[in-house]
Amino acid sequence: MKYALLLYGDESRWAAATEAEIKEVSAAHGRFTDMLTARGAYLGGEELDLSTTAVTVRTGGGRTLHTDGPYAETAEHLGGFYLVEARDLDEAIEFATACPEEIVEIRPVVEYQG
């Protein structure tokens, strides 16, 4: 089954990170990706730009409204994701626990047949 591992964090910490800290985190993600690949679980993933670059589109009642920035006003923002293949939720939790981020939301991917 496919799962999305959604990575959340305080992006003000990321924006203020030193070059050495960025290299350290990037290396940790490289090791995590290598582990997923070795287990045959890695399907993809990407880092997302800061939430200040987001545009939110709302539609309804025949109208479309777009606003700059993320939908939610929160301290933690979606910063990236991994798409993994796991045999079950327990294995997806194992992967999320091994991820070098502090907050990982696991969401099953709906796969349509047809």
Side-chain angles (χ1 to χ4, degrees), residues 6-19:
L6 307 174
L7 314 180
Y8 289 88
D10 180 351
E11 60 186 23
S12 66
R13 288 179 56 206
W14 185 245
T18 66
E19 187 174 324

Side-chain angles (χ1 to χ4, degrees), residues 5-63:
L5 306 182
L6 307 174
L7 314 180
Y8 289 88
D10 180 351
E11 60 186 23
S12 66
R13 288 179 56 206
W14 185 245
T18 66
E19 187 174 324
E21 291 169 328
I22 291 170
K23 284 183 180 180
E24 182 181 323
V25 170
S26 294
H29 278 279
R31 291 188 297 275
F32 179 64
T33 301
D34 290 345
M35 181 274 294
L36 292 173
T37 301
R39 303 251 322 245
Y42 183 74
L43 299 176
E46 295 293 336
E47 178 182 356
L48 300 176
D49 205 343
L50 297 176
S51 65
T52 55
T53 66
V55 174
T56 300
V57 177
R58 293 176 180 84
T59 60
R63 298 183 334 178

Side-chain angles (χ1 to χ4, degrees), residues 4 38 40 63 82 90 95 104:
R63 298 183 334 178
Y82 287 95
D90 289 335
F95 294 152
V104 180

